[in-house]
Amino acid sequence: MSSSMNKASLSDWQMLREVELFLFHEAELADGNQYEDWLELWTADLLYWVPSNDDNLDPQKKISIIYDRRAQLEDRIFRLGTKHAYAQRPQSRLTRLVSNIVLDDFDTESGGWVSSRFVVVELRNHVQTLWSGRMRHKLVREDGKLRINEKHVFLLNNDTPVGNMTFII
Amino acid sequence: MNQHIIQTSNFSGKTHWDKAALASLIEAGRIHSRVYTDPELFELELDRIFSTSWLFVGHQSEVPSPGDFQTRVLGRTSVIMVRGKDKGVRVLVNRCRHRGAQVCETETGNTKFFRCWYHGWVYDTNGDLAEQTGDEAYDDSMDRKAMGLTPVPRVENYRGFVFASFAREGETLTEFLGGAAAIIDLMVDASPTGELYADGGSHKTEYRGNWKLVGMDGYHPLHLHASVMETIHRDPDSGIGSTHRSNPFDDTAATYTRDFGHGHSMLDFREHRIKHYEQHSEFIKKTSGGAEYIDAMHKAHGEERARMLLSISGDPHLGLFPNVQLIHNQIRIVTPLAADHTQVEMIAVRLGGVSDEINANRLRHHESFYGPAGAGSPDDTEVFERVQRGMQAELNPWLDVSRGMAREFTDVDGSTVGRISDEVPQRGIFRHWIKLMTQS
Ligand code: FES
Ligand SMILES: [Fe+2]
């Protein structure tokens, strides 16, 4: 292996490490049901998308499980914060692993697209449920900090009947 | 919905639920909770309701071209709704005539043939047996014409909605729908061209509770959906708010519960929503193609009906007993799996003759409330599970459904009408339920 390749992979590694730590931080906030802090991670305009039935569909033609722009995501977070969000009373207890993180099209200055996989174990009302799938994040750098501009979640089981998924996926 | 989960019954027909025992479950204004919890009653329901009544199978637009198919589960039976090569829509039992394997394991698609993997028998899209492997082993006593996939005995279509019945004889679909047919029209006629396409994708959900809990209930929204009400108050144009101007669930509002007989019931928002026509039409006009839509509706339906149809946004809020509801932008199919386990599929419809933006808006509107991560349905299923757990306590097993009994009345169309929070639908459903359960 040439030394220049070593250098390239080392700078990649730093970039990757920063992204990794960001995604781990996001996972911590989501697992802790820290809705407001989690919302803080996003840019002003945003897309939070969880397609239904298929990974590749046109959300203008087909229903999604979640298709939130800023206004809808704010509604979601506001509602979860009210006293009456019964589907989250009790709240889900969550622990998630985020892994297989790959920088698809990313540079340190401006950010870009990141792919990863996740497993979420949810415990609610004495029932443990496993959720898993693929994610794509579009991260952008604002004032030196990474923020989420888009997040797409492709559930492994988006085409089978599922129960209550009102926690942050 | 999920063809891998099919009810298999070893119910022998013997039961301690004789007519008198069944009749004792339903009283005026109260219901015994066993109707939701008893596994033996559940088996009886599959025999006496799901094997006799008209059942919703799908919308014809799900299978637009020859070879298009969609599998569904009706009671215990997996069926294939398929557009045959002769262009006819059939409902065929998903079971090989040889030794019983399912011939179609995919939910939806297009095919020329259904091939059984076990010994290779092949059926065409009309259901006819097209090929029997090694057919020299059968002599003339095998009538191949009679060995096609079994058609469900009766199939009828109302404005694109395909229904089937396992009963060879009985009332027609028109008799079954009765006054509810005109309410189905409210969804279809939201399209100025009268075209509905059930191709907007779907939400598939399940809950650990009885299938009859889905029901039709105008009493709970202010309470169970309090978090949504709070959210609406922030912005009436956001999400579900756009059709719920002012408070439709207040008993002084011009909103009603309606029972059409046959267990078909409705939350009737027409009179209330039409009062907000001006506001709502302004909201529609903000969308590209909105003004054209309003214009086309007036041309197609005339001023008065167009205003009503636009005001309700094609939301009939109708429940057709036993397995389908038309709510907002969705066709909702309820599939019972066990006394305490139910699947619900919500299929989003698209209106013909309107702009893509209007249809996209309707999808966003649906997502805001429904589905596994929506603001509303998870609270519903959450409480259904809570009811199912609560009903395990049988020290006092009666459920009260007497709300509004003293104030309900019969409308000119023969339907029974109450205020929005009255338990008219619950009483109507169980009046029909007991009739079907005790029929001989
Ligand atoms: S079971 Fe289908 S070919 Fe034998
Ligand atoms: Fe509800």
Side-chain angles (χ1 to χ4, degrees):
Chain A
M1 200 182 282
S2 76
S3 64
S4 71
M5 273 183 77
N6 272 335
K7 254 185 209 156
S9 54
L10 190 64
S11 70
D12 275 1
W13 182 84
Q14 277 183 325
M15 212 152 68
L16 177 64
R17 185 64 183 152
E18 188 191 4
V19 167
E20 238 178 36
L21 290 173
F22 180 82
L23 294 184
F24 295 163
H25 178 55
E26 191 213 346
E28 276 303 302
L29 296 177
D31 280 352
N33 298 306
Q34 291 170 265
Y35 309 128
E36 297 286 343
D37 293 340
W38 178 77
L39 185 59
E40 284 293 304
L41 299 177
W42 291 78
T43 55
D45 68 308
L46 60 84
L47 174 65
Y48 175 36
W49 183 40
V50 185
S52 187
N53 291 315
D54 199 346
D55 293 357
N56 296 309
L57 50 76
D58 177 355
Q60 305 312 322
K61 298 252 187 294
K62 304 278 178 185
I63 204 91
S64 297
I65 295 174
I66 296 172
Y67 189 84
D68 284 357
R69 298 287 184 180
R70 160 76 48 187
Q72 291 76 33
L73 188 57
E74 280 182 2
D75 273 0
R76 182 181 298 280
I77 298 305
F78 170 82
R79 198 186 64 77
L80 285 168
T82 66
K83 282 203 290 271
H84 313 290
Y86 297 123
Q88 278 297 307
R89 298 291 178 277
Q91 286 185 318
S92 301
R93 278 154 61 188
L94 302 159
T95 186
R96 77 187 68 192
L97 305 179
V98 176
S99 187
N100 305 17
I101 298 168
V102 176
L103 306 182
D104 294 326
D105 179 12
F106 195 91
D107 74 74
T108 309
E109 241 100 283
S110 55
W113 286 95
V114 179
S115 297
S116 61
R117 303 231 172 211
F118 68 93
V119 175
V120 186
V121 182
E122 182 204 14
L123 180 70
R124 229 186 135 253
N125 286 334
H126 313 291
V127 179
Q128 203 163 277
T129 310
L130 203 60
W131 306 84
S132 68
R134 235 159 28 87
M135 292 190 284
R136 293 198 78 209
H137 282 79
K138 187 184 177 196
L139 303 179
V140 298
R141 197 176 292 286
E142 278 179 6
D143 306 325
K145 275 195 197 157
L146 288 179
R147 285 188 188 280
I148 309 168
N149 179 236
E150 292 192 28
K151 178 178 178 177
H152 307 173
V153 182
F154 305 103
L155 290 168
L156 185 68
N157 59 341
N158 64 18
D159 62 342
T160 64
V162 296
N164 174 353
M165 203 188 67
T166 45
F167 59 89
I168 296 170
I169 187 80
Chain B
M1 176 176 323
N2 183 338
Q3 67 277 7
H4 300 288
I5 306 171
I6 289 173
Q7 285 307 314
T8 51
S9 168
N10 46 22
F11 181 64
S12 61
K14 280 196 230 98
T15 175
H16 69 275
W17 289 111
D18 58 22
K19 257 190 186 175
L22 285 164
S24 71
L25 293 167
I26 312 294
E27 293 182 1
R30 63 178 200 166
I31 294 161
H32 196 289
S33 58
R34 284 286 172 95
V35 305
Y36 293 107
T37 58
D38 189 288
E40 207 177 290
L41 277 179
F42 178 79
E43 297 297 333
L44 268 181
E45 288 179 330
L46 294 183
D47 282 351
R48 295 184 187 171
I49 298 173
F50 285 84
S51 302
T52 65
S53 180
W54 283 101
L55 304 170
F56 177 71
V57 187
H59 192 268
Q60 64 182 19
S61 63
E62 293 179 278
V63 290
S65 310
D68 287 347
F69 67 87
Q70 173 73 50
T71 58
R72 290 262 147 73
V73 176
L74 304 177
R76 300 184 186 98
T77 307
S78 171
V79 298
I80 312 167
M81 177 174 74
V82 56
R83 175 87 59 176
K85 52 187 181 183
D86 62 355
K87 299 203 172 85
V89 175
R90 290 178 176 76
V91 182
L92 306 168
V93 176
N94 187 8
R95 170 186 162 136
C96 181
R97 289 295 304 280
H98 178 221
R99 279 200 252 147
Q102 286 202 350
V103 295
C104 181
E105 292 282 333
T106 328
E107 258 180 89
T108 182
N110 180 280
T111 190
K112 282 201 168 61
F113 298 104
F114 297 105
R115 181 185 301 276
C116 178
W117 289 354
Y118 200 175
H119 311 94
W121 287 24
V122 175
Y123 304 87
D124 67 21
T125 52
N126 290 355
D128 294 330
L129 181 63
E131 191 190 327
Q132 237 172 345
T133 45
D135 64 349
E136 69 284 356
Y138 298 98
D139 63 17
D140 291 345
S141 65
M142 165 71 76
D143 179 4
R144 280 171 211 160
K145 284 204 179 66
M147 291 301 276
L149 294 173
T150 309
V152 177
R154 291 189 300 152
V155 177
E156 283 190 43
N157 172 324
Y158 180 76
R159 298 199 72 183
F161 291 80
V162 179
F163 290 81
S165 171
F166 291 105
R168 282 179 199 288
E169 286 160 25
E171 60 186 0
T172 62
L173 181 64
T174 309
E175 288 164 339
F176 166 79
L177 292 173
I183 309 306
I184 297 178
D185 294 347
L186 301 179
M187 183 179 251
V188 184
D189 291 342
S191 155
T193 53
E195 296 163 297
L196 213 59
Y197 299 95
D199 64 1
S202 73
H203 285 144
K204 295 170 183 157
T205 65
E206 63 176 343
Y207 63 91
R208 299 300 312 204
N210 189 269
W211 62 278
K212 298 184 293 303
L213 291 169
V214 175
M216 191 56 74
D217 180 52
Y219 191 12
H220 79 289
L222 291 183
H223 312 285
L224 182 64
H225 299 308
S227 68
V228 177
M229 301 300 160
E230 268 187 69
T231 313
I232 289 173
H233 289 141
R234 296 168 81 221
D235 178 8
D237 276 348
S238 87
I240 203 81
S242 59
T243 50
H244 278 324
R245 287 175 203 278
S246 86
N247 186 353
F249 300 108
D250 187 309
D251 269 348
T252 62
T255 51
Y256 309 96
T257 44
R258 212 176 261 283
D259 162 22
F260 292 99
H262 275 83
H264 307 330
S265 56
M266 174 194 195
L267 301 187
D268 191 344
F269 296 111
R270 284 174 289 187
E271 208 180 304
H272 172 82
R273 285 186 187 160
I274 205 162
K275 290 183 187 162
H276 302 280
Y277 173 76
E278 302 305 334
Q279 256 174 305
H280 190 62
S281 60
E282 284 311 308
F283 175 73
I284 296 171
K285 277 184 208 156
K286 282 186 213 154
T287 309
S288 151
E292 292 82 348
Y293 176 39
I294 292 171
D295 201 42
M297 286 293 280
H298 278 78
K299 286 210 177 84
H301 299 295
E303 161 111 24
E304 197 185 336
R305 186 162 168 84
R307 284 169 74 95
M308 185 273 289
L309 290 166
L310 287 163
S311 298
I312 63 165
S313 293
D315 172 18
H317 238 99
L318 173 72
L320 295 169
F321 191 82
N323 77 328
V324 66
Q325 300 192 326
L326 307 181
I327 297 186
H328 285 283
N329 200 40
Q330 69 184 272
I331 301 171
R332 179 187 292 185
I333 305 176
V334 179
T335 307
L337 299 177
D340 63 354
H341 195 187
T342 305
Q343 284 182 3
V344 179
E345 182 170 15
M346 304 169 186
I347 302 165
V349 300
R350 177 170 62 87
L351 303 179
V354 311
S355 68
D356 289 349
E357 289 82 356
I358 285 178
N359 276 314
N361 260 2
R362 294 170 63 86
L363 293 180
R364 301 290 88 85
H365 184 251
H366 171 126
E367 280 154 5
S368 69
F369 194 81
Y370 299 102
S377 354
D379 286 345
D380 289 321
T381 52
E382 186 65 19
V383 92
F384 297 159
E385 295 188 349
R386 196 165 176 160
V387 169
Q388 198 73 26
R389 290 197 294 274
M391 289 187 302
Q392 297 304 309
E394 292 192 321
L395 192 57
N396 189 348
W398 292 96
L399 310 170
D400 189 285
V401 293
S402 67
R403 189 177 173 84
M405 252 171 99
R407 61 182 178 184
E408 68 185 25
F409 64 92
T410 307
D411 205 350
V412 284
D413 66 354
S415 62
T416 304
V417 182
R419 308 302 306 187
I420 192 66
S421 75
D422 290 350
E423 283 154 343
V424 168
Q426 288 77 5
R427 293 191 287 275
I429 284 167
F430 281 99
R431 195 176 304 123
H432 190 60
W433 183 88
I434 195 66
K435 189 177 162 204
L436 293 181
M437 291 294 276
T438 52
Q439 71 194 351
S440 30

